[in-house]
Amino acid sequence: MTVAQPNFSQQARFVVGFDLGTTNSAVTYVDTEEEPWRIRTFLVPQLVAPGQVEARETVPSFHYQPAGGEMAGDALRLPWSQQSPGYCVGFLARDQGTAAPGRLIASAKSWLCHTGVDRTADLLPWHNAADVERLSPVEASGRLIAHVRAAWDHRFPEHPLAEQDLVLTLPASFDEVARELTVKAAARAGLSRVVLIEEPQAAFYAWIDAHSEDWQQRVRPGQKILVCDIGGGTSDFTLIRVRGEAGGKVRFHRVAVGDHLILGGDNFDLALAQHLEKRLTNDGRLEPRQWSVLVRSCRRVKETLLGGGAPERLTVHLPAAGSRLIGGGVQLEVTRDEVRELLVEGFFPRVHLTDRPLRRRSGFQEFGLPFTPDPAVTRYLAAFLTAHRHVALDESETIADHDPARPDIVLFNGGVFESDLLRGRMIEVLESWFPQPSAWNPIVLENERLDLAVARGAAYYGMVRRGQGVRIAAGLARTYYIGVESEGGDSPAVCLVPAGVEAGHDIHLSERQFTLRVSEPVEFPLYVSSTRLTDRPGELVAVDREQMTPLPPMRTVLRKRKKGEAESVSVTLHARLTEIGTLDLWCGEVGGRGQWRLQFDVRSATETDVAAHDAAAEREGFIEEETWQPCRRLILGTFGPGGADKPEGLVRRLSEATGMNRKLWPTSFLRRIWETLLEVEQGRRPSAVHEARWLNLLGFSLRPGYGLALDDWRVAETWRALQGNLIHPSVMCRTEWWILWRRIAGGLAAGQQQALADPVLGPIRTLHRQLTAGKGRSDFAYGSHEAAEIWRALGSLELLSVGSKIELGAMLLDILPKKKLEASRPAILWAIGRLGARQPVYGPLNTVVPAGTAGEWLRRLMDTGSDDSEALLAVMQLARRTDDRYRDIPDRLRDKVLGWLEIRDAPAHFVELVRRGGQLDAEEQGLVFGEALPKGLRIL
């Protein structure tokens, strides 16, 4: 997915390649006016500490000498900067981060493809120091690129980088959203002319360039080349086939790409840190600050003891805490054999070709990234080679010749393979898989410098796009499918874009017509497979979740041009692969001129509060139309034009019509109620009772704001219709207003949640001053039912900033004992539990308040002597075990909490959730959410 438009701009003087993942920020370039052209290296200047030998030997450096030992003032200013940027990149950032990990952002590329967080939210450093500005993964990547741009423009002022042809590298397994975010990061740095290339391909291009005189003598038709690229964050496997052409020439075809694996040098560091932590603490846990320093120190230990000429042992030093204090800190000796046994056997074990990766949960919870569940690289490689055994088979080969899973040539890339030991183990395992028909040894290709290979290959590819050099035919290594509904009620998929198609190629599914609803959003489920590579465009297949991975859905809204137009149109689909490897999909009206572009629902891919759903709510089933129509008439009879039925009894009448208690109504039925209520929105106008009942049922039918396809659109429509538009501002209507927003808070965006909170935070601060210091006078009706629902609504807003949550929680704890608020006490306790919960209901983990704050809240709650059910629930949420040391409270406090719960006869499962962790049961989910969830929906 790297070849699309045929040529770069011929006006640009330089073709530039950049590997975003390298610490030394290596930039390679070709001066196109030079004959013959050659790839040169521009090592971006960095700040380095006086004793940093490694950096000074590999990059141009500027002496870093902070005043008073602080990274402040002009200490971080580079020659091209008019003022200090307030941050540094590269070696200095990495080394300073070892001592102050709460200030370090690392693994930027891995965060760009992390689907479990909002990649556009300010969440890094993941466990930041209190005074550190947080950045989004996109912004962090953009700043790295901006540093490179500034350095380039300083070196080549007459040829600014924004006017050159820039090729950025990225892992081959990056999904479509991660690719788009990479381009967005470059745009933030002011670079809009960007092309992406997959790193394994770039590494092979670097090899071609290094052997430009004789590469055709080093390979022959029929050979299969395996590129193993394992860097700090990801593992990528790629297969390239060598095929013959007329005149005895050969051509390279990229035929397969592996699945996305967050498995690399970072995992090595974590595994070694966990091993050493057990030795230091007798199977206990280090304090978070010590743990962070240990993880960063393990990188140095790993690189030293896995390298050539390694010493027999090293000493690791940690800041003070625990035992073995020497000079105010802790030290531990690590042996070479110990590290090699742990890392070589743990990550490159000798396995069989038939072995498959284990599916257990990854043990690295506190690092924030979704690491692969199995650390064994060799098992993932075995699965990759066997999955693509026949796809990579050349027409002239037969299975009898040799196992078609066997590669003939291996090219290693990435920092992990700087170690001869690890390269040797990988070759040993490969040889053990293919012993027949005779002893076999793969040909190993060499790139002189693994840290520069990808950047050099990127520049080479830029010249290929100008029609020079040797091109790798990089057909699509995956097959794309679109989910459809059939007349039989099942949900198969249609092959949309087959494997092998090259970027820039259009696929028209003219033989398939679809009926598309107008004036409402429609959703197209998308799937991708890297193993089903023979399906053809338009072919109808069953959805196989073992082989087909769901992508973020694509959505559109077809607007009617005029009233009276048909409610649906017939359309065909056509797709196009863009130059950055993303998918453009269009609906074209059959027999008309209408054409609509479908776009990825990027929000569902980047925010956990609207996670791409797995159709759990749809699987509950649907109420038959003959049952629904009487229900619709009941709603219209209450809120529709001329409706005369009393609103107070509507829910009871609907329960009678369905024959079901409202708690058992399926989500699909609830959403139809919502749709009809919004259709008769004017029906809330006749009286305050009408509006209160309308608001109550609207929130009930849309709770929890997510779980069914298009729920985020429904919440957006609700916000548009209601925000600032309360018709009857009575206490009853205001109370129902807050209940509605609490019920659907999970579907609101962060800005919407903040907009709800801001108008009441001021009065709450005044109330707090009045009740705690006797100053000021608040008009806040703190003892009312409305106030109780405000507390609950605020507690449900999980996307508020951590600072806002800490302030609000502290104020609630201060006013909790006041007798004037006794009536609101249950609601306040519930809100405190939600604000400080260790496991959010729907929000991303970067919205969780620090463990230290939760611990302080726990102490204050337990000191009140409360034993009511709301206090037990709040304490359980604040102390619930997650196995993430940065979220979990200290073990000593946990023991106190367990004793406190047991003395008060807390539910046994509450105690279990605090002691060992686990999932909430159905009743507990209702308690945490505030009421029973719709049938079939479960809190994450």
Side-chain angles (χ1 to χ4, degrees):
M1 288 190 275
T2 57
V3 180
Q5 299 171 0
N7 293 303
F8 264 164
S9 166
Q10 299 298 322
Q11 285 73 43
R13 166 79 176 266
F14 293 98
V15 172
V16 183
F18 176 47
D19 177 6
L20 185 59
T22 56
T23 304
N24 61 14
S25 299
V27 172
T28 60
Y29 64 95
V30 174
D31 184 344
T32 60
E33 295 184 2
E34 185 180 24
E35 290 290 345
W37 60 267
R38 57 177 295 190
I39 298 174
R40 299 182 181 273
T41 302
F42 169 49
L43 293 176
V44 178
Q46 299 183 21
L47 289 167
V48 299
Q52 224 306 323
V53 177
E54 176 191 0
R56 293 218 305 267
E57 291 177 347
T58 56
V59 300
S61 58
F62 298 101
H63 193 68
Y64 165 69
Q65 188 61 56
E70 295 294 328
M71 295 179 67
D74 285 338
L76 299 178
R77 191 171 66 84
L78 287 158
W80 52 80
S81 306
Q82 293 185 353
Q83 58 186 12
S84 174
Y87 61 89
C88 61
V89 303
F91 286 107
L92 180 62
R94 187 189 70 182
D95 297 328
Q96 292 291 320
T98 300
R103 313 185 78 86
L104 178 69
I105 296 177
S107 306
K109 287 194 297 187
S110 297
W111 283 103
L112 279 177
C113 60
H114 186 350
T115 59
V117 298
D118 178 357
R119 288 167 272 184
T120 63
D122 297 333
L123 53 88
L124 299 177
W126 184 245
H127 304 295
N128 66 312
D131 61 335
V132 172
E133 175 193 13
R134 280 190 165 186
L135 306 177
S136 70
V138 176
E139 175 64 22
S141 299
R143 290 195 182 186
L144 289 172
I145 299 171
H147 173 80
V148 172
R149 178 190 176 182
W152 174 278
D153 291 351
H154 180 71
R155 170 66 177 80
F156 301 101
E158 295 181 359
H159 305 283
L161 189 58
E163 297 176 8
Q164 311 312 309
D165 293 336
L166 177 62
V167 182
L168 285 178
T169 67
L170 78 175
S173 52
F174 254 28
D175 65 18
E176 285 66 25
V177 174
R179 291 168 185 259
E180 291 186 357
L181 293 177
T182 301
V183 174
K184 185 176 181 180
R188 290 197 178 190
L191 302 175
S192 57
R193 294 172 53 178
V194 173
V195 168
L196 306 182
I197 183 173
E198 298 162 358
E199 288 165 1
Q201 266 187 267
F204 191 68
Y205 273 129
W207 179 84
I208 294 174
D209 177 62
H211 300 87
S212 58
E213 300 297 326
D214 63 348
W215 65 264
Q216 294 222 40
Q217 284 73 53
R218 293 172 178 260
V219 297
R220 64 178 187 272
Q223 287 181 321
K224 183 164 56 178
I225 301 167
L226 168 65
V227 183
C228 288
D229 185 3
I230 305 180
T234 59
S235 292
D236 269 326
F237 304 125
T238 292
L239 288 176
I240 298 173
R241 170 67 68 180
V242 185
R243 292 193 167 125
E245 291 190 332
K249 294 184 179 181
V250 298
R251 186 175 182 180
F252 300 108
H253 287 250
R254 197 279 311 278
V255 292
V257 169
D259 292 330
H260 182 62
L261 303 174
I262 297 188
L263 175 61
D266 291 342
N267 302 67
F268 291 27
D269 302 343
L270 286 166
L272 181 56
Q274 285 190 337
H275 171 75
L276 297 181
E277 179 186 41
K278 291 178 181 179
R279 287 181 52 192
L280 282 164
T281 62
N282 294 321
D283 288 336
R285 283 195 162 198
L286 293 170
E287 295 176 358
R289 183 172 68 97
Q290 288 182 302
W291 166 253
S292 296
V293 173
L294 177 61
V295 170
R296 303 300 171 195
S297 300
C298 283
R299 178 194 57 80
R300 177 183 61 86
V301 172
K302 169 198 68 180
E303 293 175 355
T304 302
L305 296 184
L306 289 182
E312 289 189 6
R313 62 191 71 244
L314 284 177
T315 301
V316 176
H317 298 274
L318 297 180
S323 61
R324 300 187 185 179
L325 294 181
I326 297 179
V330 183
Q331 73 171 13
L332 179 70
E333 271 198 348
V334 188
T335 68
R336 179 181 59 202
D337 293 343
E338 175 186 11
V339 169
R340 292 185 174 188
E341 173 69 20
L342 176 73
L343 299 183
V344 178
E345 300 305 328
F347 289 89
F348 295 88
R350 298 177 178 92
V351 299
H352 295 290
L353 184 60
T354 54
D355 287 350
R356 292 297 175 266
L358 304 177
R359 296 185 179 275
R360 64 190 177 213
R361 184 188 183 196
S362 171
F364 304 138
Q365 300 302 308
E366 57 266 43
F367 206 61
L369 291 166
F371 293 111
T372 56
D374 189 341
V377 173
T378 44
R379 272 193 280 268
Y380 287 104
L381 179 59
F384 171 71
L385 291 177
T386 52
H388 298 287
R389 170 180 273 130
H390 298 291
V391 171
L393 192 65
D394 194 64
E395 295 84 354
S396 61
E397 278 190 307
T398 63
I399 295 179
D401 183 17
H402 61 255
D403 188 336
R406 190 192 83 185
D408 302 286
I409 300 172
V410 179
L411 174 65
F412 293 114
N413 192 64
V416 165
F417 290 119
E418 294 280 4
S419 168
D420 293 337
L421 185 67
L422 298 182
R423 286 202 310 273
R425 171 54 69 88
M426 185 68 97
I427 293 170
E428 175 193 338
V429 172
L430 279 169
E431 290 174 347
S432 72
W433 289 343
F434 307 106
Q436 301 297 330
S438 60
W440 167 80
N441 305 103
I443 301 169
V444 179
L445 305 181
E446 298 286 349
N447 269 326
E448 183 178 349
R449 286 192 58 177
L450 298 187
D451 60 332
L452 293 179
V454 165
R456 292 184 64 85
Y460 185 93
Y461 172 64
M463 295 304 294
V464 169
R465 289 178 60 88
R466 288 184 173 229
Q468 303 185 48
V470 179
R471 178 185 173 190
I472 301 172
L476 183 63
R478 304 175 180 88
T479 303
Y480 288 86
Y481 305 84
I482 187 166
V484 296
E485 293 181 1
S486 67
E487 293 181 356
D490 56 345
S491 299
V494 172
C495 177
L496 181 63
V497 181
V501 171
E502 294 199 25
H505 188 76
D506 288 288
I507 301 292
H508 294 271
L509 298 187
S510 54
E511 72 283 2
R512 294 272 183 189
Q513 291 190 13
F514 303 85
T515 300
L516 196 60
R517 297 284 297 174
V518 298
S519 298
E520 64 184 52
V522 288
E523 178 178 86
F524 294 87
L526 283 178
Y527 305 91
V528 64
S529 176
S530 60
T531 54
R532 295 182 62 113
L533 305 182
T534 58
D535 294 329
R536 308 315 305 161
E539 186 175 346
L540 197 67
V541 300
V543 176
D544 182 350
R545 293 300 290 270
E546 290 295 318
Q547 294 184 309
M548 300 164 67
T549 302
L551 287 171
M554 279 189 157
R555 295 175 170 177
T556 190
V557 178
L558 305 185
R559 299 294 184 187
K560 291 189 292 187
R561 296 186 181 89
K562 56 185 179 180
K563 292 184 179 180
E565 197 172 352
E567 289 298 316
S568 62
V569 296
S570 294
V571 298
T572 59
L573 300 177
H574 75 266
R576 180 183 177 86
L577 290 174
T578 70
E579 66 176 289
I580 62 171
T582 58
L583 187 67
D584 276 350
L585 184 60
W586 298 80
C587 289
E589 184 178 5
V590 176
R593 294 180 297 175
Q595 184 163 282
W596 301 269
R597 183 187 178 192
L598 311 183
Q599 293 182 306
F600 279 115
D601 177 15
V602 175
R603 186 174 175 225
S604 75
T606 59
E607 297 184 21
T608 54
D609 60 327
V610 221
H613 68 280
D614 64 357
E618 285 90 334
R619 288 198 293 269
E620 303 166 19
F622 299 83
I623 285 182
E624 294 179 352
E625 195 66 19
E626 62 183 86
T627 302
W628 162 247
Q629 287 302 327
C631 293
R632 176 178 169 81
R633 287 194 291 271
L634 288 172
I635 297 171
L636 295 178
T638 304
F639 296 112
D645 295 342
K646 292 185 177 181
E648 298 95 319
L650 177 58
V651 171
R652 175 183 52 79
R653 295 193 294 271
L654 289 171
S655 294
E656 292 172 353
T658 60
M660 287 187 292
N661 183 287
R662 68 172 187 165
K663 294 181 180 179
L664 300 178
W665 291 347
T667 308
S668 57
F669 175 69
L670 289 167
R671 299 307 189 258
R672 296 193 76 173
I673 292 176
W674 171 88
E675 181 182 337
T676 306
L677 286 171
L678 214 61
E679 180 184 325
V680 294
E681 184 258 337
Q682 294 299 311
R684 63 187 171 117
R685 290 182 174 275
S687 70
V689 174
H690 279 80
E691 183 166 31
R693 291 297 88 202
W694 185 87
L695 289 169
N696 184 281
L697 187 55
L698 189 76
F700 183 81
S701 63
L702 191 51
R703 76 193 201 287
Y706 57 92
L708 196 72
L710 304 175
D711 269 353
D712 56 336
W713 171 79
R714 295 184 181 96
V715 171
E717 289 295 295
T718 302
W719 179 269
R720 182 186 60 80
L722 294 185
Q723 181 57 22
N725 189 23
L726 195 61
I727 296 170
H728 302 281
S730 64
V731 171
M732 176 173 56
C733 289
R734 294 199 307 267
T735 300
E736 294 296 345
W737 172 271
W738 287 108
I739 292 173
L740 180 151
W741 297 122
R742 189 252 304 162
R743 282 171 162 168
I744 68 171
L748 294 173
Q752 293 169 329
Q753 293 194 6
Q754 194 66 50
L756 286 173
D758 282 343
V760 293
L761 285 177
I764 290 172
R765 292 186 185 104
T766 304
L767 173 66
H768 176 259
R769 287 194 298 271
Q770 176 186 334
L771 295 178
T772 58
K775 298 179 179 179
R777 182 175 182 81
S778 173
D779 295 329
F780 191 83
Y782 45 77
S784 66
H785 182 201
E786 178 187 2
E789 293 305 333
I790 290 175
W791 302 132
R792 290 178 179 273
L794 290 173
S796 71
L797 302 180
E798 291 186 352
L799 301 185
L800 292 179
S801 70
V802 172
S804 295
K805 289 183 180 181
I806 292 173
E807 180 195 13
L808 182 57
M811 290 192 294
L812 292 179
L813 283 160
D814 287 342
I815 65 178
L816 178 64
K818 306 299 180 181
K819 288 187 177 181
K820 293 181 177 181
L821 280 94
E822 191 167 350
S824 294
R825 178 181 173 83
I828 293 174
L829 284 167
W830 185 91
I832 292 171
R834 283 292 298 273
L835 288 169
R838 302 298 80 206
Q839 179 63 56
V841 170
Y842 60 84
L845 296 181
N846 55 286
T847 63
V848 175
V849 301
T853 302
E856 176 61 27
W857 292 3
L858 276 168
R859 294 183 185 92
R860 296 183 64 179
L861 281 177
M862 292 190 294
D863 287 346
T864 64
S866 302
D867 58 2
D868 44 354
S869 60
E870 290 82 6
L872 298 179
L873 177 65
V875 167
M876 180 274 287
Q877 292 188 81
L878 289 166
R880 182 179 171 187
R881 190 183 188 101
T882 67
D883 287 328
D884 177 344
R885 79 186 68 228
Y886 292 94
R887 281 188 286 156
D888 284 343
I889 60 173
D891 289 342
R892 187 174 299 177
L893 178 57
R894 185 180 308 283
D895 291 339
K896 291 182 179 180
V897 171
L898 289 168
W900 188 89
L901 289 171
E902 289 168 349
I903 288 174
R904 287 160 177 76
D905 292 325
H909 198 234
F910 278 21
V911 176
E912 182 69 11
L913 288 168
V914 172
R915 178 176 283 117
R916 296 188 177 86
Q919 299 295 319
L920 301 176
D921 62 29
E923 182 180 356
E924 291 161 349
Q925 289 183 53
L927 292 173
V928 170
F929 179 68
E931 62 183 301
L933 287 164
K935 179 184 175 184
L937 287 180
R938 180 178 179 85
I939 290 174
L940 295 175

